[in-house]
Amino acid sequence: MDQRFDVTERFAEGAQFIAGSLRAGTSGRTQDVVDPATGETVLRYELAGTGDVDEAVAAAARAFPDWARTTPAERSDTLHRFAAALAEDAGDLVFAESLNCGKPVKLSREFDVPGTIDNAAFFAGAARHLEGRAAGEYSGDHTSMIRREPIGVVGSIAPWNYPLQMAAWKVLPAVAAGNTIVLKPAEITPLTSLLFARAAQRAGLPDGVLNIVSGAGRDAGERLVGHPDVAMTSFTGSTAVGKRVAELATGTVKRLHLELGGKAPFVVFDDADLEAAVHGAVAGALINTGQDCTAATRAYVQRPLYDAFVSGVADLMAAVRLGDPFDPSTDLGPLISHTQRDRVAGFVERARGYATVVTGGQAPQGDLAKGAYYRPTLITGAAQDSEIVQAEIFGPVLAVLPFDSDDEGLALANDTPYGLAASAWSRDVYRTGRAVREINAGCVWVNDHIPIISEMPHGGAKASGFGKDMSAYSFEEYTQVKHVMYDTTGVARKDWHRTVFGDRG
């Protein structure tokens, strides 16, 4: 294994980052950070309690006035230095992300870490482009203008599947817009969030602007969401937990941004490039071992291509290499934990009663048995209303169903509660044009599935939540729009006053 640093030594002071200092949590409970490839504990730390959350929020509240008053150019300069600091730390970030999450090192090195650095560079530029409607005399007697102002303290909760990128997606637009933030990473994956915060400090981000509380959702998370001094909550995670977050946020009427679950359809029309669709389906289904809310989880294939598609996907999945995440040749790493592996296996075992497992459907034996590994799995013959088609599995499992008419394929694509992402595969621009109009999802790819870029927004519809990460659109989440209206007449007695008192002059 590429041992870049000793995790216990690096975080000896604790796994909380509050007001610029690492410290231990005060909940009285500890949490093990486990390498999912081996089942070994790499760090044991003290979880944050509600008191730690209160301290972090207070630190963010103290830092807010000064940070909010910085100019866009000053915030931009800090974020440019932050991007450079992250680039300097790239090796440590790759190591920590693969160790903590079981990601193949080639995924961490080529996707998670460079994507995060690019996000920082993007928001460094975007910080200088907070725009509103042009000033103008819309009433005739007043000049109106729009101000975009920071909201205040943001309390964000990030998931365990992309700890580093989710930290970036939460933190960067918030601080670029002039807010301060308290981020709660998943308690099982705090390592890269803490490295991220230390890089920000080294880049000159003032103490208190970014704080990390590593704690359990039931106490630290709920305290953060319900805190009266937190003006906005941004949450990424399951739809079930998102509903609880929404309930808590309404208690103090917070701004709310939710990026929730997904069950992305992969619609293959009969004129599609079959080889491209097969390769796209395997890559889209297996990225991050399927632990991706936009992963291709249900493929709908028009009947003339169905058999060839199933055969091609089965062959390609069978060739995927499971192994040590730090081996550069490894394609698929473990799931995040044995608990998650067993959850995925449960979906597949129940599906055997009503569908066919074409390939996979089991954990590997031998050297990989001690890790949370599960083989790439292809399922056919399931009904549209079955659990394997409707529920978010969050593992390396793809269900394939046939369809006949275009109407049927698009209807099936929309037939789940979710609406985060989808893809359509066809050589016909009119077919794909119809698909992108009619599929109800926050992102629809055409002849590809998964790529994201900093300049474009990410977010869903329906039970997949609302609001956008990344892109300039994210500023709509993290700024308050204020209308400012100046009288231009200098007239003391205005004509509209007669609607309240007196008569027309």
Side-chain angles (χ1 to χ4, degrees):
M1 184 173 68
D2 183 8
Q3 184 74 34
R4 291 187 174 271
F5 60 84
D6 181 274
V7 175
T8 300
E9 181 180 324
R10 181 67 67 93
F11 300 110
E13 298 169 89
Q16 319 302 325
F17 185 81
I18 300 172
S21 298
L22 282 174
R23 64 175 75 175
T26 62
S27 69
R29 293 181 292 114
T30 59
Q31 173 69 46
D32 287 346
V33 176
V34 176
D35 176 356
T38 65
E40 297 175 358
T41 296
V42 298
L43 177 69
R44 178 170 293 160
Y45 71 92
E46 292 80 15
L47 285 162
T50 56
D52 300 306
V53 174
D54 291 345
E55 284 194 46
V57 172
R62 289 193 302 271
F64 174 68
D66 286 344
W67 183 246
R69 282 194 294 267
T70 57
T71 66
E74 290 170 326
R75 295 198 293 273
S76 176
D77 286 347
T78 301
L79 291 177
H80 277 299
R81 293 194 299 271
F82 188 17
L86 290 170
E88 291 172 1
D89 292 351
D92 285 353
L93 292 167
V94 167
F95 167 72
E97 197 78 338
S98 288
L99 179 70
N100 199 175
C101 302
K103 295 175 187 283
V105 70
K106 64 180 180 179
L107 180 65
S108 295
R109 183 174 289 136
E110 298 178 30
F111 181 71
D112 296 74
V113 172
T116 300
I117 296 168
D118 185 70
N119 258 234
F122 171 80
F123 280 106
R128 304 185 74 158
H129 295 281
L130 283 171
E131 297 178 350
R133 187 183 295 274
E137 287 69 49
Y138 298 99
S139 77
D141 292 335
H142 306 82
T143 295
S144 286
M145 64 182 68
I146 295 295
R147 290 177 57 87
R148 279 196 176 272
E149 298 180 345
I151 295 170
V153 177
V154 178
S156 291
I157 299 176
W160 48 255
N161 57 332
Y162 290 103
L164 178 61
Q165 290 211 76
M166 293 297 103
W169 288 13
K170 300 298 183 194
V171 171
L172 293 169
V175 300
N179 301 284
T180 56
I181 187 166
V182 179
L183 173 71
K184 193 199 88 64
E187 62 269 31
I188 61 174
T189 56
L191 301 185
T192 45
S193 295
L194 294 167
L195 294 175
F196 184 82
R198 294 305 295 265
Q201 182 182 47
R202 199 167 77 248
L205 193 71
D207 292 347
V209 174
L210 167 58
N211 307 273
I212 308 289
V213 289
S214 304
R218 194 163 295 173
D219 42 31
E222 294 208 354
R223 178 59 176 166
L224 182 60
V225 174
H227 201 290
D229 294 332
V230 169
M232 174 184 169
T233 290
S234 176
F235 171 80
T236 297
S238 71
T239 297
V241 177
K243 291 178 181 178
R244 175 61 177 160
V245 168
E247 290 173 1
L248 291 168
T250 58
T252 50
V253 196
K254 299 185 191 308
R255 176 79 66 90
L256 189 59
H257 168 215
L258 298 175
E259 199 265 88
L260 307 177
K263 190 70 179 176
F266 187 101
V267 183
V268 182
F269 295 99
D270 58 14
D271 65 337
D273 181 326
L274 179 62
E275 182 182 14
V278 166
H279 283 79
V282 173
L286 301 186
I287 186 170
N288 203 34
T289 318
Q291 298 166 127
D292 187 310
C293 49
T294 64
T297 59
R298 50 192 178 105
Y300 299 102
V301 184
Q302 207 151 23
R303 209 169 292 274
L305 293 185
Y306 177 80
D307 289 339
F309 179 88
V310 168
S311 177
V313 168
D315 289 346
L316 193 52
M317 277 189 170
V320 168
R321 299 165 295 184
L322 281 68
D324 176 2
F326 288 93
D327 183 338
S329 67
T330 292
D331 297 321
L332 197 72
L335 291 151
I336 190 65
S337 66
H338 287 81
T339 299
Q340 179 66 11
R341 191 272 311 276
D342 293 345
R343 179 180 179 274
V344 171
F347 277 105
V348 175
E349 291 309 305
R350 291 190 294 276
R352 293 184 192 276
Y354 57 80
T356 300
V357 178
V358 178
T359 190
Q362 59 186 340
Q365 300 303 306
D367 292 342
L368 299 182
K370 61 186 177 182
Y373 290 89
Y374 197 77
R375 294 196 181 281
T377 301
L378 177 64
I379 292 176
T380 61
Q384 174 66 14
D385 61 356
S386 63
E387 179 188 54
I388 206 77
V389 174
Q390 291 291 323
E392 186 174 32
I393 299 167
F394 233 53
V397 179
L398 175 65
V400 185
L401 290 78
F403 70 92
D404 292 304
S405 68
D406 289 15
D407 289 348
E408 181 189 10
L410 295 175
L412 291 169
N414 283 326
D415 184 28
T416 71
Y418 300 106
L420 186 58
S423 63
W425 298 74
S426 171
R427 292 182 173 95
D428 187 329
V429 67
Y430 298 105
R431 258 180 163 171
T432 57
R434 180 187 177 190
V436 300
R437 288 193 304 271
E438 296 188 12
I439 294 176
N440 190 0
C443 174
V444 180
W445 292 283
V446 176
N447 295 324
D448 208 343
H449 195 108
I450 286 297
I452 54 174
I453 49 175
S454 297
E455 291 84 357
M456 289 292 114
H458 174 84
K462 302 195 295 185
S464 293
F466 48 82
K468 300 299 179 185
D469 289 308
M470 299 197 299
S471 81
Y473 292 99
S474 64
F475 284 131
E476 296 177 6
E477 313 302 322
Y478 294 100
T479 55
Q480 179 70 42
V481 174
K482 178 184 287 185
H483 172 215
V484 179
M485 197 172 195
Y486 290 92
D487 171 59
T488 60
T489 66
V491 174
R493 184 176 178 182
K494 296 178 172 56
D495 188 53
W496 72 266
H497 292 174
R498 68 185 175 82
T499 63
V500 182
F501 61 89
D503 301 314
R504 184 187 293 273

